[in-house]
Amino acid sequence: MGRSAWGCWQSVVSTAVLYGSLALFISILHNVFLLYYVETFVSIYKIDKVSFWVGEAVFLIWNSVNDPLFGWLSDRSFLSSPQSGSQVTTPEVVLKRLQALSTNGPLFALSFLAFWVAWARPGLQFLLCLCLYDGFLTMVDLHHSALLADLAVSAADRTRLNFHCSVFSALGSLSVFLSYSFWDKEDLYSFRVFCVSLAAFSIVGFFLVSRLLRRRFQKEVRVRRDEAMALKELSVGQAPLTHAENPVTIGQYLKQLSKHRNFMWFVSMNLVQVFHCHFNSNFFPLFLEHLLSDNITASTGSILLGISYIAPHLNNLYFLTLCQRYGVYQVIRWLFMLKLGLSVVMLLAGADHIYLLCIFIASNRVFTEGTCKLLKLVISDLVDEDYVVNRRPQATSALLFGMVALLTKPGQTFAPLIGTWLLCVYTGYDIFEREPVRDSLVSVPDVASGSGTPPLRLGCFYMVVFVPITCALLQLAAWSRFTLHGRKLQGIKTLRQGAQHGHLIDVKAI
């Protein structure tokens, strides 16, 4: 009875839904982490400034290195042409990624819990927790993202997979709404129980979904192996069709990647995007407190906080429909222009327009995060181009996602460092000492609104306006040089589909 119920459940749920549900088990934990880890160590554990900066510096190195390291370990066997009859098929690649998810998903959930209980000196715990958490997060995110490129090639199928990810990520963002109710700096007991509940749900989810997907693709692998054995029997006594080639070394791979112009322009743009996304995440509570707290209620602040996490995923559902009509490249370009336009309007309006400021702070985060959700589609297209241009036997999706992270994840570490530095320079507000710095700027009038503004509030306003303006200008400059769109992109996809005919998976048919 149990097996029949399990088989019935497995047959009803589509592969796209199961793939998307993995995003739920990641987002319910990671959104809470992004929102509270800095405040927990600074305000509760009282980490000193030197330990914080040292921890972030070490984290910067580890955060950048682990993505390509794990990607190389995962995909290095795909870089050389195998002998005839031994080619790894796409279902086998998918099974390999699902095995990694089933192992590292629960470990990722357990590492999340290490932040919320003081078990060592603040500086040491900060360093160990960040590196441990990011290591498991990298393994989970890397293989989940690589599946997007491995499960489908056509833009329609990838958009469908991304659509389900957005739906489940939006559900996962509900943890932010709930966390605001449990968060209390004076007593973390309720918040800790809340985090344990989230982690338990995530562990069970990873176990069940990965098991469902693995059973599904094991059947596919058995069919492909039977076909391969039949072909091998037919070719007995014939010369092999291909010969083994020397494996591509890491140096050769990096040289190939350095000549990949679209890849280089993309990571230039994405570095700024990662910085802006994490800048918003790290300082959103601070902006709410110092720009809006005197004019809005705590419940309104909670709603704004929740909307800023959920709306990007819901908005992405609309963005994906635009992508199907106009292409991912054009939609991302429009989002950069919108970010620039809204920031200029807010700068001209000034800090005294409270309702406009509420809309701007929320929309700034919504559109910035919405852009991030679309970038996996672009990286999947770069996987296709890398596969075709370098004539690889199998797409190295995890490795390319890892190389993108190597060059862009430093923005995640730069965000709190540059943000705290700007805050101190413009306002004299040191989040570590909670005391004004005498050498900082003094109170100046708000030119846009014509009124005097306290230095801390004015500094926060300039940060929330000038950071997106600067980011948008840099991103528009880099994105204008990216050429993998339109006819060129369609040609690349046609070539990959032709080269891997018979080895790809029809997502809709599974």
Side-chain angles (χ1 to χ4, degrees):
M1 179 67 181
R3 288 187 177 181
S4 62
W6 178 267
C8 180
W9 171 256
Q10 186 178 5
S11 63
V12 170
V13 182
S14 71
T15 298
V17 171
L18 292 174
Y19 172 78
S21 68
L22 291 170
L24 168 65
F25 311 129
I26 300 172
S27 62
I28 60 170
L29 303 182
H30 193 52
N31 287 333
V32 174
F33 160 79
L34 290 176
L35 192 60
Y36 294 108
Y37 91 94
V38 172
E39 188 169 4
T40 296
F41 277 92
V42 172
S43 302
I44 299 174
Y45 299 159
K46 306 298 181 182
I47 187 174
D48 61 276
K49 183 188 296 186
V50 174
S51 297
F52 179 82
W53 280 69
V54 169
E56 288 287 357
V58 174
F59 176 57
L60 166 63
I61 300 172
W62 171 242
N63 193 26
S64 301
V65 170
N66 60 19
D67 289 87
L69 174 64
F70 296 154
W72 175 261
L73 293 175
S74 173
D75 289 2
R76 59 181 175 177
S77 61
F78 305 151
L79 290 173
S80 58
S81 297
Q83 294 180 349
S84 178
S86 64
Q87 183 170 357
V88 178
T89 63
T90 301
E92 291 175 308
V93 175
V94 170
L95 271 181
K96 184 178 180 181
R97 304 214 188 283
L98 291 174
Q99 180 61 45
L101 284 170
S102 66
T103 302
N104 293 283
L107 294 175
F108 159 69
L110 292 176
S111 67
F112 165 79
L113 297 177
F115 285 91
W116 318 118
V117 178
W119 47 267
R121 294 181 60 183
L124 178 62
Q125 182 177 349
F126 183 69
L127 176 61
L128 293 178
C129 283
L130 277 181
C131 292
L132 188 67
Y133 176 84
D134 186 69
F136 290 120
L137 173 64
T138 296
M139 287 295 291
V140 171
D141 192 50
L142 197 63
H143 287 284
H144 184 248
S145 299
L147 282 174
L148 180 65
D150 292 331
L151 289 173
V153 173
S154 70
D157 285 344
R158 285 179 178 171
T159 300
R160 181 167 173 259
L161 291 171
N162 206 349
F163 178 90
H164 286 86
C165 283
S166 296
V167 172
F168 282 100
S169 295
L171 293 175
S173 298
L174 291 173
S175 62
V176 175
F177 271 115
L178 297 174
S179 69
Y180 205 78
S181 303
F182 291 98
W183 176 254
D184 183 359
K185 290 190 290 187
E186 304 301 326
D187 183 8
L188 287 181
Y189 176 78
S190 297
F191 183 75
R192 287 166 180 160
V193 172
F194 171 71
C195 290
V196 170
S197 302
L198 291 180
F201 176 77
S202 182
I203 290 171
V204 173
F206 273 114
F207 174 77
L208 292 178
V209 171
S210 61
R211 185 178 178 185
L212 279 170
L213 285 171
R214 283 162 59 194
R215 284 195 173 191
R216 184 165 297 183
F217 286 101
Q218 281 169 352
K219 296 179 182 178
E220 186 80 10
V221 168
R222 282 195 294 269
V223 172
R224 298 295 173 88
R225 283 178 179 172
D226 291 342
E227 292 175 355
M229 288 299 294
L231 290 173
K232 187 175 182 180
E233 291 174 0
L234 291 174
S235 63
V236 172
Q238 300 178 9
L241 298 175
T242 59
H243 301 280
E245 295 181 0
N246 293 327
V248 177
T249 64
I250 185 65
Q252 291 171 326
Y253 179 77
L254 292 176
K255 186 176 180 181
Q256 292 172 347
L257 214 55
S258 66
K259 296 179 180 179
H260 194 168
R261 293 187 63 211
N262 283 322
F263 173 83
M264 301 306 294
W265 285 116
F266 173 79
V267 296
S268 300
M269 177 276 293
N270 197 20
L271 173 63
V272 180
Q273 186 67 23
V274 170
F275 166 82
H276 194 196
C277 285
H278 285 84
F279 176 85
N280 286 340
S281 297
N282 294 152
F283 293 96
F284 193 91
L286 186 73
F287 293 149
L288 285 183
E289 178 182 354
H290 295 293
L291 285 174
L292 303 173
S293 62
D294 294 337
N295 301 280
I296 62 173
T297 63
S299 59
T300 304
S302 176
I303 293 173
L304 277 176
L305 191 62
I307 289 174
S308 72
Y309 276 84
I310 294 178
H313 304 291
L314 298 178
N315 232 17
N316 197 39
L317 304 180
Y318 173 66
F319 293 155
L320 288 171
T321 61
L322 293 179
C323 288
Q324 289 181 317
R325 180 179 298 181
Y326 301 105
V328 180
Y329 174 85
Q330 192 63 41
V331 173
I332 291 176
R333 183 171 177 269
W334 289 340
L335 287 172
F336 291 155
M337 296 175 67
L338 182 61
K339 176 166 65 175
L340 177 62
L342 290 175
S343 301
V344 171
V345 169
M346 191 68 247
L347 176 64
L348 296 176
D352 292 337
H353 293 77
I354 300 303
Y355 291 106
L356 184 60
L357 191 57
C358 286
I359 295 172
F360 172 74
I361 291 177
S363 64
N364 178 42
R365 176 170 168 76
V366 167
F367 292 126
T368 301
E369 291 291 332
T371 305
C372 289
K373 308 304 175 188
L374 299 177
L375 296 184
K376 286 185 179 181
L377 292 174
V378 182
I379 301 175
S380 298
D381 293 338
L382 290 171
V383 170
D384 297 337
E385 188 178 33
D386 175 73
Y387 170 83
V388 171
V389 171
N390 295 296
R391 300 181 179 180
R392 306 206 188 282
Q394 177 68 41
T396 54
S397 48
L399 182 53
L400 193 67
F401 271 93
M403 295 307 299
V404 169
L406 171 66
L407 299 173
T408 60
K409 267 197 172 180
Q412 181 176 342
T413 301
F414 289 146
L417 297 181
I418 294 177
T420 53
W421 176 76
L422 287 174
L423 195 65
C424 186
V425 168
Y426 278 102
T427 70
Y429 181 79
D430 192 329
I431 64 172
F432 300 97
E433 299 177 2
R434 303 289 180 175
E435 293 178 0
V437 179
R438 293 183 179 181
D439 294 335
S440 62
L441 302 180
V442 297
S443 176
V444 293
D446 184 346
V447 178
S449 64
S451 61
T453 311
L456 178 56
R457 186 169 186 272
L458 179 63
C460 288
F461 174 73
Y462 281 154
M463 282 178 65
V464 84
V465 169
F466 280 118
V467 167
I469 288 177
T470 304
C471 290
L473 291 174
L474 292 174
Q475 288 174 303
L476 283 170
W479 198 233
S480 65
R481 306 298 298 273
F482 188 82
T483 61
L484 188 60
H485 54 90
R487 291 183 179 179
K488 181 176 181 178
L489 176 60
Q490 189 58 47
I492 290 290
K493 289 185 177 296
T494 301
L495 288 172
R496 182 182 175 186
Q497 287 173 323
Q500 285 193 317
H501 180 70
H503 294 284
L504 294 173
I505 302 170
D506 182 5
V507 177
K508 296 178 182 178
I510 297 176

